[in-house]
Amino acid sequence: MKKKLSVTIKIMAVLMVACLSSCNDFLEIVPKGEKIPTTLADFDALLRDEYGNQRTDITQATLLLNDKFESTSNLNYYKLYSANYFWQEDADRIAFNNSDEGTYYNSYMAISTSNLIIEHAAEATEATEADKKQLIAQAKFLRATNYFVLANYYADTYEEGNAESKLSVPLITSADIGAPYTQVSIKEIYAFILKDIEEAIPDLRAAGATILHANLGAAYALSARVHLQMGQYDQALAAANQALAQNDKLFDWTAFYNQYKTQIEQPNVYTNAPSPMGYDYVENYNFRHGVSYFAGNETNIRTDRATRFEQGDAKFASRWKVRTVGADTYCKSIIRGFFNYGGMTTTEVYLIKAECLARKGDITGAMSTLNTVRKKRILSSYYADLTATTTQEAVKLIQRTKGNELILGITPFADMRRLNKDPDYAKTLSKTENGSNLSLSPTSHMWTMPFPQGAIKNPGNGTLNQNVNK
């Protein structure tokens, strides 16, 4: 992980390999300090660019959910932040989205790297055929991961009845400069994502070279996530079980809390305990950075968001602590290090399995699976098994835990969008802000983010249409 090419080298490599078919006269002119990837190690270094390719920035989704606390200065300065944070239905977010382009361009940069590896790594030197196939499979996993984020950010959520008629995001399958693309339907992008995962699985191994390299468990876990988003519960359950067969470990947050209890509970002390959610987190299938991608504190969260955690939740108590600074009161992050916000974890897979069991009528199995996670989260003095008598009741309890467990990642946003299409689970968000009562309807257009202005004004070799009016 520490041996990686810089983003500059990566971009130069992408551009140079993309030009191989038309720039032969210039192949001998390599910029000083740069190189054309030829060996498998060269291509592998591109995949391992963790601060470029292995990062998922979903700032606006966390703002819309009100899962994070945002500073007054940022809200005053960034109009897009303010529009999403305060649920301003009349705001022209398209006009405001002229600087917050990280989600779009970071994702497509990773997709471009994936395309480069998929197209050219088969000819790499200094590698076995099995190693080359594995790297290509890992690139397909990376590409599928980024298309899932894009599809669940800039397009409507998947609904079988209209997925074929609604537009999703640009599908780019070549690293060539100026490669043509099509803004495909929601149905087509999901089919492509699943195809990438299915093609990757035969060539992946139980463990990758690093936690940034997708392994077999990560592919099954991502498959489970995608099938759940599509409402395909049989397929999601099967994939979840296959992922858990690869890794079913859960981190014991109650033990972590007790280890740092004195530090955590000391009033007005915000000394940082080490984050267990980094590269070696036992729950990791793979690791991806989130909004914060250097070692540091987590994002602070709102105090009203904190009330949705269960009483006695050791994971919450280990991560945040109420603090007042001036006029602002919020839950301050109290652990420091790295945080796996964008990768697949066993917790997510357990909770996917739980929902699938509930949807299939196995309420007992669903709650048992949910409680397996909760036993590692809820302090013993507060713990009691949760029970349910209906699918709806079980799914709501599962989603409460899932939203808390995966807070600040893409999954709570994708889940909320998915469940908002079902009247049994649709939820209106509400809050009081500066004396005003605000709400966000489950049918609001704001659940789909607008493409950034840079992408619309410079669409490249294709046509890009906005999926929202504002």
Side-chain angles (χ1 to χ4, degrees):
M1 232 177 306
K2 295 184 182 295
K3 281 183 64 180
K4 58 181 183 290
L5 295 182
S6 68
V7 173
T8 300
I9 294 177
K10 186 191 75 171
I11 294 172
M12 287 300 300
V14 171
L15 294 178
M16 285 187 285
V17 174
C19 284
L20 284 177
S21 61
S22 58
C23 303
N24 292 330
D25 293 342
F26 301 96
L27 285 179
E28 296 180 3
I29 306 175
V30 180
K32 186 177 180 180
E34 313 293 352
K35 66 180 295 184
I36 296 174
T38 54
T39 68
L40 191 72
D42 293 337
F43 287 102
D44 182 76
L46 301 180
L47 183 84
R48 288 185 289 112
D49 174 20
E50 62 179 288
Y51 302 129
N53 293 327
Q54 304 292 349
R55 179 159 69 96
T56 304
D57 182 351
I58 55 159
T59 296
Q60 298 309 315
T62 59
L63 288 171
L64 191 76
L65 287 175
N66 270 220
D67 277 352
K68 65 173 292 195
F69 172 81
E70 192 53 80
S71 68
T72 301
S73 59
N74 275 350
L75 293 171
N76 288 336
Y77 186 79
Y78 297 108
K79 292 182 178 180
L80 185 61
Y81 280 41
S82 181
N84 285 321
Y85 197 68
F86 295 121
W87 305 328
Q88 296 168 350
E89 296 264 358
D90 295 333
D92 188 351
R93 296 184 303 162
I94 294 173
F96 294 162
N97 197 11
N98 57 6
S99 60
D100 188 73
E101 301 177 330
T103 308
Y104 189 88
Y105 289 115
N106 285 345
S107 297
Y108 276 110
M109 182 170 68
I111 288 168
S112 180
T113 299
S114 302
N115 290 339
L116 172 73
I117 294 169
I118 293 165
E119 290 177 307
H120 297 283
E123 288 80 46
T125 61
E126 302 178 23
T128 66
E129 288 302 311
D131 286 342
K132 289 188 284 189
K133 287 181 178 179
Q134 179 184 226
L135 186 63
I136 291 170
Q138 289 164 339
K140 289 184 177 181
F141 172 89
L142 178 63
R143 184 167 68 179
T145 297
N146 281 280
Y147 272 128
F148 180 86
V149 173
L150 289 166
N152 280 278
Y153 203 82
Y154 296 111
D156 287 350
T157 195
Y158 185 95
E159 292 181 277
E160 184 62 34
N162 58 33
E164 197 166 4
S165 61
K166 286 188 174 184
L167 286 176
S168 183
V169 297
L171 177 58
I172 304 174
T173 59
S174 172
D176 289 347
I177 297 173
Y181 69 85
T182 301
Q183 184 179 2
V184 297
S185 70
I186 294 173
K187 191 177 187 70
E188 288 172 303
I189 201 69
Y190 271 83
F192 185 84
I193 291 168
L194 288 174
K195 180 173 179 288
D196 260 356
I197 298 170
E198 289 161 5
E199 290 180 353
I201 285 173
D203 295 316
L204 292 173
R205 300 168 188 168
T210 74
I211 200 62
L212 300 177
H213 293 78
N215 56 29
L216 191 56
Y220 284 130
L222 182 59
S223 178
R225 177 193 279 181
V226 176
H227 281 298
L228 179 67
Q229 196 69 24
M230 300 173 75
Q232 298 175 350
Y233 304 120
D234 288 335
Q235 296 94 320
L237 178 59
N241 283 329
Q242 288 170 307
L244 291 172
Q246 297 293 316
N247 178 16
D248 63 357
K249 297 182 180 68
L250 288 169
F251 183 78
D252 191 342
W253 279 93
T254 65
F256 181 87
Y257 178 86
N258 287 323
Q259 180 181 355
Y260 293 97
K261 182 177 180 179
T262 301
Q263 180 176 316
I264 290 168
E265 294 184 351
Q266 190 171 354
N268 302 316
V269 172
Y270 303 92
T271 305
N272 304 107
S275 168
M277 301 169 65
Y279 304 124
D280 58 353
Y281 193 40
V282 298
E283 298 188 0
N284 289 344
Y285 291 108
N286 70 302
F287 182 94
R288 286 177 64 78
H289 293 279
V291 177
S292 298
Y293 50 96
F294 296 109
N297 295 86
E298 282 200 273
T299 297
N300 300 324
I301 67 173
R302 292 171 59 95
T303 55
D304 55 357
R305 177 62 183 85
T307 62
R308 303 212 299 271
F309 285 82
E310 281 193 68
Q311 189 176 19
D313 189 323
K315 186 175 182 181
F316 167 78
S318 298
R319 295 166 71 187
W320 291 287
K321 193 173 182 178
V322 175
R323 187 179 192 182
T324 298
V325 178
D328 292 330
T329 298
Y330 53 90
C331 293
K332 169 80 171 66
S333 168
I334 58 173
I335 63 175
R336 183 174 179 82
F338 291 103
F339 306 91
N340 187 4
Y341 290 139
M344 302 301 307
T345 63
T346 56
T347 289
E348 179 174 355
V349 175
Y350 271 109
L351 297 173
I352 290 172
K353 177 178 179 177
E355 181 175 345
C356 291
L357 290 172
R359 298 283 191 170
K360 290 167 61 63
D362 183 359
I363 308 301
T364 300
M367 300 311 292
S368 175
T369 304
L370 170 60
N371 287 323
T372 296
V373 175
R374 294 179 61 253
K375 286 171 186 174
K376 300 292 187 180
R377 271 48 177 175
I378 309 302
L379 295 169
S380 59
S381 57
Y382 294 94
Y383 182 84
D385 279 349
L386 291 177
T387 60
T389 57
T390 67
T391 293
Q392 185 177 348
E393 184 181 356
V395 169
K396 287 183 177 180
L397 289 171
I398 293 162
Q399 280 300 320
R400 178 182 66 172
T401 295
K402 193 177 180 188
N404 291 335
E405 282 290 322
L406 304 177
I407 189 172
L408 305 177
I410 188 63
T411 300
F413 184 67
D415 277 347
M416 185 78 77
R417 285 158 41 94
R418 169 173 64 90
L419 295 169
N420 278 344
K421 298 297 183 179
D422 186 335
D424 286 339
Y425 304 103
K427 181 187 299 184
T428 296
L429 300 183
S430 60
K431 65 175 179 176
T432 300
E433 197 83 43
N434 300 322
S436 298
N437 296 323
L438 306 177
S439 64
L440 180 66
S441 164
T443 60
S444 173
H445 68 276
M446 299 190 79
W447 289 105
T448 298
M449 299 297 168
F451 290 120
Q453 285 189 27
I456 293 295
K457 293 179 179 178
N458 300 285
N461 192 5
T463 302
L464 181 60
N465 298 302
Q466 281 286 5
N467 289 322
V468 289
N469 294 322
K470 57 186 175 182

